[in-house]
Amino acid sequence: MSQSDTPNIQVLSTEVSQLRQELQLRDSLVQQLSQELFRLVKGNTSFMPQQPELERDTTQLQALQEQLQAVEQQVAFYQEQITTRDSEIYQLRQSVQELTDRTRMLEQVVQELPQIYRRKFEERMTPVREKVAMLQRENRQLQAELQSVSYRLALKTRNASHSGIDLPNFPRPASDEETNISTPQNA
C-alpha cells in the first residue's frame, strides 16, 4: 500500500463519518415527522389530511427513504473498502516483519563470514605448512649430502690428479648460509 492510499483512506473515513451524521439527522427527522403525524392524527380524529398533502408527504418520505438507502449503500461500500485496505495493511505488515527478520539473519551471517573464512583457511593451510616444513628438512638433508659428496669427490679428484701443483684452498660456503638462503624465513 502506498503512502498516497493513507490520505485517501482518511478522506474516505471522513466522508463515511459525515454520511453517518447525515443519516442520523435524517433518521431523527423521520422520527420527528412520524411522531408529529401520530400526534396530529391521535389528537384530532376528525383530522384527515387532504389528498395533495398526503401525496406530497408520501413522496417526500419515499425520497428520504431512497436517499437513506443510497447513503446506506455508500456506507456499506466504504466499509468494504476499509476492510479490504485493513487486510492489505495487515498482510504488508506481516511481509515487512518477515523481511526484517530475514534481513537480521542475513546481517548476522555476513558478520560471521570473515571468521568462518579465516577458520577454513587455517584448516587448509595446516597440511600445507606441514608439507613445506617436511620439504625444507628434506632439502637441508639433501644439501648436506650433496656437500658431503662434493667434498669427497673434490678430495678424491685432488688426490688422484696430484701432479705436484698445489692449488689454493678457497673457503667453502657454510652449510647454514646455504640453508638460510633456500628456506623461507617465516616458516
Side-chain angles (χ1 to χ4, degrees):
M1 180 178 294
S2 67
Q3 290 182 347
S4 64
D5 289 343
T6 303
N8 195 12
I9 289 173
Q10 292 172 347
V11 168
L12 291 175
S13 255
T14 305
E15 190 173 325
V16 166
S17 297
Q18 290 172 348
L19 290 173
R20 282 185 180 152
Q21 288 174 350
E22 199 174 300
L23 181 62
Q24 287 174 349
L25 178 65
R26 287 182 184 172
D27 282 346
S28 66
L29 289 175
V30 167
Q31 184 70 25
Q32 286 175 358
L33 180 60
S34 66
Q35 286 174 355
E36 186 66 26
L37 284 173
F38 181 74
R39 188 179 60 77
L40 286 174
V41 170
K42 185 178 178 185
N44 188 1
T45 55
S46 64
F47 174 75
M48 252 337 231
Q50 295 178 358
Q51 192 65 15
E53 287 180 18
L54 182 62
E55 287 178 10
R56 182 177 52 96
D57 289 345
T58 306
T59 307
Q60 284 181 346
L61 186 60
Q62 285 177 346
L64 285 175
Q65 286 176 343
E66 289 173 3
Q67 285 180 349
L68 179 63
Q69 283 180 341
V71 167
E72 286 175 347
Q73 287 175 349
Q74 283 182 336
V75 167
F77 172 75
Y78 289 136
Q79 279 297 102
E80 187 177 316
Q81 277 192 338
I82 288 171
T83 304
T84 303
R85 297 279 166 84
D86 284 347
S87 68
E88 287 176 1
I89 288 170
Y90 178 74
Q91 289 173 351
L92 288 173
R93 283 185 178 156
Q94 279 185 324
S95 296
V96 165
Q97 184 62 41
E98 290 171 5
L99 291 173
T100 301
D101 292 344
R102 186 168 183 210
T103 301
R104 284 185 190 134
M105 183 191 69
L106 289 175
E107 285 174 352
Q108 183 179 0
V109 167
V110 166
Q111 288 175 355
E112 293 173 357
L113 276 178
Q115 296 166 354
I116 292 170
Y117 280 122
R118 280 189 205 105
R119 189 175 65 241
K120 292 286 185 185
F121 181 75
E122 195 61 38
E123 288 173 4
R124 290 181 183 161
M125 284 304 294
T126 301
V128 171
R129 286 186 181 128
E130 290 171 359
K131 181 110 178 171
V132 166
M134 184 189 72
L135 288 174
Q136 286 176 343
R137 283 192 303 271
E138 205 175 301
N139 187 25
R140 282 192 291 269
Q141 287 175 345
L142 289 174
Q143 282 187 356
E145 286 179 31
L146 179 63
Q147 224 172 13
S148 173
V149 169
S150 288
Y151 181 71
R152 281 186 267 143
L153 183 61
L155 280 180
K156 196 175 195 182
T157 307
R158 186 186 227 187
N159 288 339
S161 66
H162 196 292
S163 59
I165 302 175
D166 261 345
L167 295 174
N169 286 333
F170 293 105
R172 303 217 21 105
S175 63
D176 288 330
E177 291 175 3
E178 289 178 5
T179 305
N180 288 339
I181 292 172
S182 63
T183 59
Q185 294 296 324
N186 61 356

